[in-house]
Amino acid sequence: MVAPAPIVEMKNIGKRFGGVHAVENVSVELRPGEVVGVLGHNGAGKSCLMKILSGAMNRTDGTIMVNGEEVALANPIEARHCGIETIYQSLALADHLDAPANLFLGRELKTRFGTLDDKRMEMEARQAFGQLNPNFKNITDTVLNMSGGQRQVIAIARAIYFNARVVIMDEPTAALGPSETAMVAELIQKLRDKGIGIFLISHDMNDVFDLCDRIMVMKNGQNVGTHRIDEVTKDDVLSLIILGKLPDNWAPRNLVAS
């Protein structure tokens, strides 16, 4: 079976702040329906790399290809036009607004008279949220009064509604309980089923091994290892994170098992 062409290719990406290399010569690709975990200690460069892809930070070196075409991604609006959406750890939701208002924040639907079409936005929001979680009914409550899982539904629905091809997720299960963590895992699976590629920034090793197809580990601004998840153990990943290399005499775990 031939693997699908990458949606995103980041080639030899570099980011310098003066003489400091925050990201140095990093390459990574993402295919439709694939989840790639981006791991590393704080300061390793993973968030910087993903900010470059999201348009929130300009790169110093390298090229980015989306659907085989080179793109600038000079700002988040350009990234969205390329189908790249980011779900930050803070979720970037307006607590004083309800769920439909958050879904369409900055991209509100208007009537033919130029006024806000609240009725249509609520109808569209119910349909969008219902695809992800049919039990999410209280969408007209303020977001401040919603659970962490419901807030994730809003953020993920926003990406799907606006036809994202690539979603960057930053610690999506941080501060969530077990049931809400399981719900986020289901949401990620629904994104995969729609052919959406996901970059998952996470410190949670269980999340990484449950959700990811591949991992990329960064240390000191460099990519120190990209592997299929079935090739490595959690100890292997920790060795990459801490030491920047795999254990001595390492062999792919899937080959050892066979």
Side-chain angles (χ1 to χ4, degrees):
M1 182 176 174
V2 179
I7 315 172
V8 165
E9 297 169 90
M10 303 183 77
K11 301 178 179 180
N12 309 117
I13 301 297
K15 177 64 180 179
R16 292 189 299 275
F17 295 97
V20 177
H21 286 269
V23 176
E24 185 174 5
N25 197 34
V26 172
S27 298
V28 64
E29 62 183 31
L30 180 69
R31 298 178 186 277
E34 180 182 41
V35 181
V36 173
V38 185
L39 292 83
H41 281 312
N42 290 335
K46 59 188 187 298
S47 293
C48 184
L49 181 70
M50 291 296 103
K51 284 179 180 177
I52 290 169
L53 182 60
S54 73
M57 184 179 289
N58 292 323
R59 60 192 181 274
T60 309
D61 305 297
T63 58
I64 299 175
M65 312 283 286
V66 176
N67 298 321
E69 296 185 4
E70 186 172 346
V71 293
L73 302 186
N75 53 61
I77 293 173
E78 282 192 18
R80 289 195 193 106
H81 285 162
C82 290
I84 300 167
E85 292 277 350
T86 304
I87 299 174
Y88 294 103
Q89 186 174 355
S90 65
L91 299 180
L93 300 178
D95 284 342
H96 63 290
L97 299 178
D98 63 15
N102 270 279
L103 177 65
F104 292 100
L105 191 62
R107 292 178 275 195
E108 290 81 3
L109 302 180
K110 303 286 182 70
T111 68
R112 62 192 179 95
F113 303 108
T115 57
L116 292 179
D117 195 339
D118 293 321
K119 185 175 180 180
R120 184 179 164 210
M121 284 192 284
E122 182 177 339
M123 181 183 70
E124 296 274 344
R126 287 193 184 279
Q127 185 175 359
F129 301 146
Q131 290 178 8
L132 295 173
N133 181 0
N135 296 319
F136 186 9
K137 305 292 187 183
N138 58 320
I139 70 169
T140 56
D141 289 355
T142 57
V143 166
L144 181 64
N145 296 320
M146 292 184 180
S147 69
Q150 289 173 324
R151 293 165 68 92
Q152 282 285 358
V153 168
I154 298 167
I156 292 171
R158 189 161 56 190
I160 294 174
Y161 186 87
F162 291 103
N163 298 316
R165 297 287 315 285
V166 174
V167 174
I168 302 165
M169 303 186 77
D170 184 4
E171 301 285 356
T173 62
L176 296 184
S179 62
E180 291 188 323
T181 296
M183 190 180 81
V184 171
E186 290 179 13
L187 295 175
I188 289 173
Q189 185 58 54
K190 288 180 179 179
L191 293 177
R192 297 171 82 165
D193 292 344
K194 291 178 179 290
I196 295 170
I198 300 169
F199 279 117
L200 178 67
I201 305 172
S202 182
H203 286 95
D204 190 315
M205 204 66 74
N206 291 324
D207 277 358
V208 168
F209 275 78
D210 288 345
L211 301 172
C212 295
D213 301 291
R214 290 188 296 126
I215 54 134
M216 181 189 73
V217 180
M218 294 188 66
K219 183 176 174 63
N220 299 328
Q222 297 181 328
N223 178 356
V224 294
T226 301
H227 296 276
R228 287 192 54 81
I229 205 70
D230 60 3
E231 292 179 342
V232 290
T233 65
K234 292 179 181 179
D235 286 342
D236 294 336
V237 176
L238 285 172
S239 181
L240 285 167
I241 291 171
I242 296 168
L243 302 176
K245 63 178 185 176
L246 289 163
D248 294 338
N249 303 316
W250 176 83
R253 128 176 110 96
N254 54 348
L255 296 183
V256 172
S258 61

